[in-house]
Structures are given as structure tokens and as C-alpha cells.
Amino acid sequence: MTTLKSKLHEDLTAAIRARDELRSATLRLTLAAITKEEVSGKTARELSDDEVQKVIAKEAKKRREAADAFAQGGRAEQAEREKAEGVLLDAYLPQQLTDDELKQIVAEAVAEARAAGTEGPRAMGAVMKIVNPKVAGRAEGGRVAAAVKQLLAG
């Protein structure tokens, strides 16, 4: 078992013992998503820590989107629970990049793409290929794409 997955199991056990309903329910759903990912495909396999991290990131994103949807639907109590679950899952992810750090990385990638001869809005794909490996797991794709578009446009 990977170290991150075993940490999730240990934290689930501790949450159950402490009767922390929010934490135990969130960790159960996350572990179920990890198991589902492990058995999907033709053969069952064990996920690496990076793959487990991606599943956790996907689950955290789902929580944020659900919180927004509940807030727009006028269900504030459910929105707060979804936000709390998202925050709980964020603790298992690497530290997210600040806007300034992200802009710095994107600016370097834009300069690198321009040196290779691609400029303007058409350089979006080339810049994203440079940026994505550098920010993997530390910034959402939408944030990265917005920063790239902003720097390429102006």
C-alpha cells in the first residue's frame, strides 16, 4: 500500500474513533474513489502516490464545485459542508502555488516559447506544455490556462 493511501486509512481509523463524522465520511468517499480508480480498466492495480494525489485533487475539486452549486441554489448549510470537506482534502495535497509564483513560472515559459519562435495566442499550447510539468498538482488547470492567456494577450 502506498504511503499516502495508508495515511488516509490511518486518519480514517482515528476519525472513526474520535467520532468525527465529517472527516470519516470524507475520507471514506475519498478511499472509495481511490479503490474505484484502482479497479477500473482491464486489470486491478495499486496506484502510486502521485496517482492517489490526483484522485484526491479531483475529489477536492468536486467538493468546491458542489459548494458553489449549493450556494447558488440557496442551500447554504450543504455548501458549508462541501467547503469543509474540500478544505479537509486540501490538507493531503501539496501546497498550492500563489498567484505570484504561478505568474513567475508562466512568464518563464512564455519567454522560453518566444525563444523557440512561437508568439501570440497561438503559443498557448507550447506554453502549456512547458508549464504543466512544473506546476503538476500545485495549481488547477483552469488557473494555469487563465494565467497563460493573460500573459500571452498582454
Side-chain angles (χ1 to χ4, degrees):
M1 189 180 304
T2 61
T3 56
L4 186 55
K5 187 175 173 187
S6 62
K7 172 138 177 58
L8 288 168
H9 276 289
E10 291 167 10
D11 290 352
L12 174 61
T13 303
I16 291 170
R17 286 191 178 133
R19 299 192 189 282
D20 185 345
E21 192 274 331
L22 175 72
R23 181 176 287 276
S24 62
T26 303
L27 292 176
R28 276 191 180 118
L29 286 171
T30 304
L31 285 166
I34 291 168
T35 302
K36 181 181 175 190
E37 190 69 28
E38 286 177 334
V39 298
S40 68
K42 294 184 188 251
T43 57
R45 63 190 178 88
E46 190 167 332
L47 298 180
S48 68
D49 272 348
D50 288 340
E51 292 169 318
V52 170
Q53 216 169 49
K54 287 178 184 174
V55 172
I56 294 171
K58 196 184 317 178
E59 290 296 310
K61 184 178 180 185
K62 282 183 193 175
R63 299 309 190 286
R64 285 190 293 277
E65 290 171 353
D68 291 342
F70 281 127
Q72 289 174 359
R75 297 184 60 195
E77 187 176 306
Q78 189 66 29
E80 286 302 315
R81 180 177 172 92
E82 293 290 336
K83 280 182 188 173
E85 288 180 6
V87 168
L88 198 149
L89 290 175
D90 284 341
Y92 294 97
L93 297 173
Q95 184 66 38
Q96 296 293 300
L97 293 172
T98 64
D99 288 338
D100 293 336
E101 291 170 330
L102 181 60
K103 283 181 184 176
Q104 178 67 32
I105 292 171
V106 170
E108 291 170 6
V110 167
E112 195 175 318
R114 284 190 178 136
T118 53
E119 284 196 43
R122 291 190 187 128
M124 178 87 175
V127 173
M128 290 297 286
K129 282 181 186 175
I130 297 168
V131 172
N132 278 336
K134 294 179 182 178
V135 300
R138 299 187 305 152
E140 285 184 12
R143 270 185 68 206
V144 176
V148 169
K149 282 180 187 174
Q150 183 182 7
L151 280 175
L152 288 175

